[in-house]
Amino acid sequence: MRCRFMAVVQNNTCLSIRLGTGDLARYPFLNEAGEYLRQSEFGWEELDRPDMADIIERAAERIQVGVSGKVYDRVERYETEILTFLVTLIMVKSIAMEPVLKKYALAEARRAEKFLTEDLKKQNEAQRRALLSKIFGDLFGLTIGTTEDGRLFKVKVTDYLARSSHFHEQEWKMINRLVSGGQVYLGPDETVRLVRNELAVLINSRVHAMSLPALPKAIKEKAEVLRIALAPHYEYTADAVTEYPPCVKHAMEVMNKGENLPHSARLMLATYMLAIGKPTDEIVKMFKNAPDFNERITRYQVEHLAGSKGSRTKYFVPSCDKLRTENLCFATKDCDGIINPTQFGRRRK
Amino acid sequence: MIGSKAVRAAFREYYFKQKLVEAPNNIEQREFGYAQFGIPGMVRHLSFKGAGELTATLVREVPSDVYCSNALYRFPTLPMQEKQWQGADLIFDIDGKDLHLSCVPSHSYPICSNCGHASPTLEKEYACPACGGKKADYVSIPCAKCIEGSKKEAARLVEFLSGDLGIAKDNIRLYFSGNNGFHFHICDDSYRPLDSQARSDLVGYLAGVGLIAESVGVRRSPGSDLAFVKFPRSGLDYGWRKRVAETLDIGASSTIRLTNIVKEKGGYSAFKAELDRITRQMGVRIDPQVTTDVHRVFRLPGTLNSKSGLTKVRCDIARLESFDPFADACQLGSTKVKVKMKTHAKARLKGQTFNIAKEEAELPAFAAVYFMCKGLAEAA
């Protein structure tokens, strides 16, 4: 196997890889990586070979780090990276837990974001152009240009709007960007941020589209170990949810399953918990199963809602009316006569 | 009143003779709708295979208003949830009444909500001379200033679209709305897939809403209302940053002037408020609802507007300044029609001034229809 890898490396001209092999190591989701596997005549059964044990270990570690919300930032030679990536995909598919897949896909996207930002800052013009056209063009159909001095990147207004309008931060509103002649000018980190979500979606859909053959034993076993290790994250927390109103209960259930909760539902959950006097630490913990959980950011957001950070405005729980319009209301007959979730349970006593 | 035979006859003649009706591209994927004289509501979810079928329907039905979706659908005649949206053209609406010009009260006629009695323009509080009702709907006959105001907005929008957004002028189709404003249809397929949220962001850009102080380099010092200036790395050379930099007369080479301006205004919050005021003033007053609604039916170019009897006509961007809607969009015939005026009213159409003080008058169809559509006259 290794001999065959080396043969491919040495005979690089036979591969239509226009990018450097370092790029393939950092961006193993590129079509060229698949091409590499094809050309090396890689077969599933080879994963059972003893010299593949390292790869399987690395893959398991990479999934665990990703699911914990961190970025796995080690980079080995491209042969190792491509195989590791492939094995992570197979494992995540075989674990078959949607929250694990979502967190993993997001972590992979963050990893790629980190490398891309660095590369776009330091590479020369030709390398940068190749990378841009590969990653943005091939994967997302996005044409990106650079300014003459090479400092900024140019994205078409329509491509920008289609992506940025789903970001909540004011700075992403187009009015806060440099816009001219139908192009939006962005820095390297902003350009990469623009497509990060799509990368997660791409990885997600690749895993969904995979059909697994009979898995090599080594992977099957490791995946089973991981499945058990990762499962407890999604068990119900000790808090009994019985006295919470149904809207809050629903949001907690979704969160406990590790599924994505819309922004408006997160706001309701956090403001409700603040209103009943739950300490910030506990509220932050409630969000730990979110696919994009970041403790520092969540803590700031909860403190912001509590009025202790940022604008110092204390946010109250949205009214039942408001929640109805956002499809977040799951009223039961116990809700009769209340106009705000905080009144739930009080009137009946 | 609007249901009067005379108005309908003039509309029928127009649709029979006129060739101005513009069939949209991808006609078979569009949803059409129309309103009928004297019948409230709209007939929607219609579809036409070609321009011939469309004009035949107009001649047969003589609608009071005709609309066409900016959206393309796989099945335009099915209910909304089943149409299968395939994209929508980018459109804009500039309505003269949203400009809140000071001249408007001087040419607005109150029509009693209770009895329909029309009164001359008002200077004091309204009370219906016929029934004493206090509530009225106001009908405006736009004056030259109103049209100038709308034209200025339209010209500003053209500048934004061609400059900032890089849309070729040939792809910007400008129309007089048929009453008191302008409509824009953008022929650029890359805008078609944008959802309502993306269009809303675009509206914010054009209207000058949401520019944060940090974009021009003014940042809040942590924990206070004090500010410091650090220009963004990407500079102030284009778009809104350039507009603001020019207005405040600042350059990215030195932070001193901007720092002084912020100090003069009284700190970060005060500067932010001032910035918001400046950008809103410089932005274009477009109707956000129209642009962000991706399922809208929008008045079809070349059809008549029942609020005035004028046509939604194409207006050459290069000749916007000399465009006169009361001549260029006044396309009805000149057959004499007898009308009973509800109040003293005046308008200038096709180069003639109609200042009608008497109760009954015989006017050319285009003028008679105009006053009847405005609710200031009825068929004698």
Side-chain angles (χ1 to χ4, degrees):
Chain A
M1 178 89 177
R2 209 168 283 283
C3 301
R4 209 180 299 155
F5 284 159
M6 292 321 288
V8 173
V9 177
Q10 282 154 12
N11 189 13
N12 233 350
T13 46
C14 74
L15 283 172
S16 59
I17 301 172
R18 277 183 286 137
L19 294 165
T21 49
D23 289 327
L24 284 189
R26 289 191 297 276
Y27 314 115
F29 43 80
L30 287 175
N31 296 335
E32 271 78 356
E35 176 73 2
Y36 161 78
L37 286 173
R38 257 188 301 281
Q39 299 219 12
S40 64
E41 294 169 26
F42 176 78
W44 294 97
E45 67 291 347
E46 293 183 50
L47 290 169
D48 254 343
R49 292 160 50 120
D51 57 340
M52 286 288 143
D54 276 358
I55 300 273
I56 292 171
E57 266 318 307
R58 270 191 102 234
E61 189 193 346
R62 184 154 161 174
I63 295 171
Q64 266 178 317
V65 170
V67 171
S68 74
K70 298 193 186 90
V71 171
Y72 180 84
D73 53 7
R74 278 169 49 199
V75 191
E76 297 286 334
R77 286 182 62 84
Y78 78 102
E79 306 96 314
T80 309
E81 286 302 337
I82 292 175
L83 273 179
T84 307
F85 181 67
L86 177 70
V87 173
T88 59
L89 294 185
I90 298 170
M91 277 188 179
V92 170
K93 174 85 179 181
S94 126
I95 289 169
M97 285 166 71
E98 195 61 22
V100 171
L101 169 58
K102 277 188 183 156
K103 285 187 175 187
Y104 163 75
L106 193 64
E108 282 297 329
R110 285 221 173 103
R111 175 178 155 96
E113 180 186 19
K114 177 179 172 291
F115 293 142
L116 261 175
T117 311
E118 288 167 7
D119 282 351
L120 291 185
K121 276 182 189 155
K122 67 185 181 207
Q123 286 188 338
N124 69 34
E125 186 59 28
Q127 284 172 318
R128 217 181 319 188
R129 214 172 287 152
L131 191 63
L132 285 173
S133 83
K134 268 289 132 205
I135 295 190
F136 295 93
D138 291 6
L139 294 180
F140 309 119
L142 195 62
T143 313
I144 297 198
T146 46
T147 49
E148 265 176 39
D149 60 6
R151 278 192 321 122
L152 296 174
F153 296 90
K154 297 190 283 186
V155 184
K156 262 187 84 178
V157 161
T158 42
D159 288 332
Y160 177 83
L161 284 172
R163 292 162 175 86
S164 69
S165 60
H166 302 285
F167 299 168
H168 296 295
E169 301 89 341
Q170 272 299 107
E171 65 185 86
W172 284 96
K173 296 264 166 263
M174 198 167 78
I175 192 169
N176 291 307
R177 297 283 164 205
L178 215 52
V179 181
S180 179
Q183 305 282 343
V184 181
Y185 293 75
L186 300 167
D189 37 357
E190 293 157 347
T191 312
V192 176
R193 173 69 183 89
L194 197 62
V195 293
R196 187 183 73 194
N197 288 351
E198 275 159 275
L199 199 54
V201 171
L202 181 90
I203 292 171
N204 210 311
S205 61
R206 279 203 189 166
V207 171
H208 274 292
M210 274 170 96
S211 55
L212 286 186
L215 282 183
K217 200 166 144 251
I219 290 195
K220 213 171 176 179
E221 284 172 5
K222 195 74 206 174
E224 189 51 31
V225 171
L226 272 183
R227 208 175 63 78
I228 294 164
L230 296 173
H233 286 281
Y234 306 107
E235 279 177 359
Y236 284 91
T237 46
D239 277 327
V241 292
T242 44
E243 70 266 37
Y244 294 134
C247 47
V248 173
K249 228 193 269 184
H250 177 266
M252 289 173 71
E253 282 166 10
V254 172
M255 197 48 97
N256 281 333
K257 276 191 255 169
E259 286 173 12
N260 191 40
L261 201 59
H263 175 76
S264 45
R266 294 179 188 204
L267 184 104
M268 169 196 70
L269 185 56
T271 49
Y272 179 85
M273 292 301 161
L274 285 169
I276 62 166
K278 213 174 239 313
T280 306
D281 279 348
E282 280 186 39
I283 301 174
V284 171
K285 267 187 213 153
M286 299 181 89
F287 289 91
K288 74 175 192 306
N289 285 343
D292 53 354
F293 179 68
N294 176 321
E295 186 175 341
R296 192 180 57 80
I297 294 175
T298 305
R299 182 171 300 279
Y300 177 81
Q301 286 169 335
V302 172
E303 286 170 350
H304 180 88
L305 290 174
S308 54
K309 284 273 164 69
S311 67
R312 312 270 158 178
T313 308
K314 192 174 175 186
Y315 289 80
F316 197 62
V317 190
S319 67
C320 296
D321 266 350
K322 172 88 176 149
L323 296 173
R324 265 190 290 275
T325 63
E326 290 171 330
N327 294 323
L328 297 175
C329 172
F330 297 87
T332 60
K333 66 176 177 12
D334 291 338
C335 293
D336 281 354
I338 66 167
I339 57 167
N340 190 288
T342 48
Q343 295 166 331
F344 185 83
R346 291 194 190 161
R347 291 219 168 167
R348 281 180 294 147
K349 285 175 190 166
Chain B
M1 149 195 73
I2 298 275
S4 99
K5 277 186 186 163
V7 175
R8 198 165 184 271
F11 274 45
R12 181 191 292 280
E13 189 192 346
Y14 172 85
Y15 285 123
F16 194 71
K17 284 184 182 166
Q18 282 297 326
K19 304 277 181 253
L20 285 178
V21 177
E22 275 182 41
N25 56 21
N26 309 91
I27 186 168
E28 69 291 349
Q29 286 175 275
R30 309 272 180 179
E31 179 204 349
F32 287 81
Y34 61 78
Q36 294 161 293
F37 283 105
I39 302 173
M42 199 198 295
V43 185
R44 274 189 78 161
H45 312 297
L46 304 173
S47 162
F48 299 112
K49 286 194 183 68
E53 197 186 350
L54 166 67
T55 41
T57 306
L58 299 184
V59 172
R60 190 179 67 239
E61 300 295 332
V62 194
S64 62
D65 298 275
V66 187
Y67 305 93
C68 169
S69 67
N70 58 327
L72 302 171
Y73 301 104
R74 187 140 177 240
F75 305 111
T77 56
L78 294 185
M80 201 47 90
Q81 301 81 350
E82 296 162 36
K83 284 190 196 300
Q84 294 193 17
W85 190 83
Q86 311 276 302
D89 294 330
L90 184 62
I91 51 171
F92 299 101
D93 177 19
I94 291 172
D95 192 337
K97 79 173 186 312
D98 295 338
L99 306 181
H100 307 293
L101 297 171
S102 57
C103 58
V104 174
S106 70
H107 48 71
S108 288
Y109 300 82
I111 296 182
C112 177
S113 307
N114 185 34
C115 69
H117 181 89
S119 315
T121 51
L122 276 188
E123 271 126 39
K124 51 184 195 314
E125 211 176 305
Y126 177 74
C128 174
C131 73
K134 298 270 185 214
K135 270 184 78 183
D137 296 317
Y138 288 82
V139 167
S140 171
I141 292 194
C143 68
K145 270 191 201 156
C146 296
I147 299 299
E148 273 318 301
S150 300
K151 277 188 191 175
K152 260 192 202 154
E153 292 298 316
R156 209 139 40 131
L157 183 54
V158 169
E159 194 190 302
F160 268 102
L161 295 176
S162 61
D164 294 32
L165 302 189
I167 301 173
K169 283 196 177 157
D170 289 348
N171 291 336
I172 303 173
R173 294 206 173 160
L174 170 62
Y175 297 88
F176 172 64
S177 73
N179 188 30
N180 184 16
F182 288 93
H183 290 175
F184 281 72
H185 294 237
I186 307 302
C187 309
D188 184 336
D189 291 355
S190 60
Y191 284 88
R192 277 190 178 166
L194 294 186
D195 65 9
S196 182
Q197 219 170 342
R199 288 169 204 244
S200 163
D201 190 1
L202 182 60
V203 168
Y205 185 89
L206 299 168
V209 177
L211 186 74
I212 53 175
E214 285 76 1
S215 276
V216 290
V218 176
R219 292 143 204 258
R220 188 204 283 265
S221 306
S224 77
D225 193 44
L226 296 174
F228 65 96
V229 174
K230 187 178 175 235
F231 288 121
R233 266 184 307 161
S234 40
L236 305 171
D237 296 341
Y238 303 109
W240 271 104
R241 295 188 196 172
K242 186 181 178 194
R243 284 187 187 90
V244 171
E246 281 174 358
T247 310
L248 299 177
D249 192 21
I250 51 169
S253 52
S254 161
T255 58
I256 298 170
R257 192 170 149 71
L258 184 55
T259 309
N260 287 339
I261 293 175
V262 179
K263 254 189 216 151
E264 265 170 42
K265 295 288 168 207
Y268 179 86
S269 306
F271 176 77
K272 210 173 121 188
E274 173 68 6
L275 187 65
D276 193 53
R277 197 190 59 75
I278 294 174
T279 54
R280 280 173 193 266
Q281 207 169 36
M282 293 171 82
V284 191
R285 285 162 190 81
I286 44 180
D287 183 343
Q289 303 276 356
V290 172
T291 305
T292 54
D293 184 355
V294 293
H295 296 106
R296 200 171 190 88
V297 283
F298 201 39
R299 193 173 293 284
L300 182 70
T303 61
L304 294 163
N305 188 326
S306 75
K307 285 184 206 148
S308 63
L310 301 178
T311 309
K312 172 169 172 177
V313 283
R314 180 87 182 263
C315 168
D316 186 349
I317 291 174
R319 291 175 43 220
L320 175 60
E321 234 170 274
S322 61
F323 176 78
D324 176 6
F326 298 114
D328 300 336
C330 193
Q331 297 284 339
L332 294 181
S334 304
T335 330
K336 293 285 179 200
V337 176
K338 274 189 184 159
V339 290
K340 223 162 93 184
M341 296 302 290
K342 291 181 172 183
T343 183
H344 175 193
K346 59 179 176 185
R348 189 172 163 79
L349 298 160
K350 282 195 184 174
Q352 302 170 49
T353 302
F354 298 91
N355 192 348
I356 321 288
K358 51 191 180 177
E359 217 168 89
E360 285 205 15
E362 197 177 52
L363 302 172
F366 63 86
V369 168
Y370 187 76
F371 286 122
M372 285 193 275
C373 286
K374 287 285 175 191
L376 300 175
E378 54 193 22

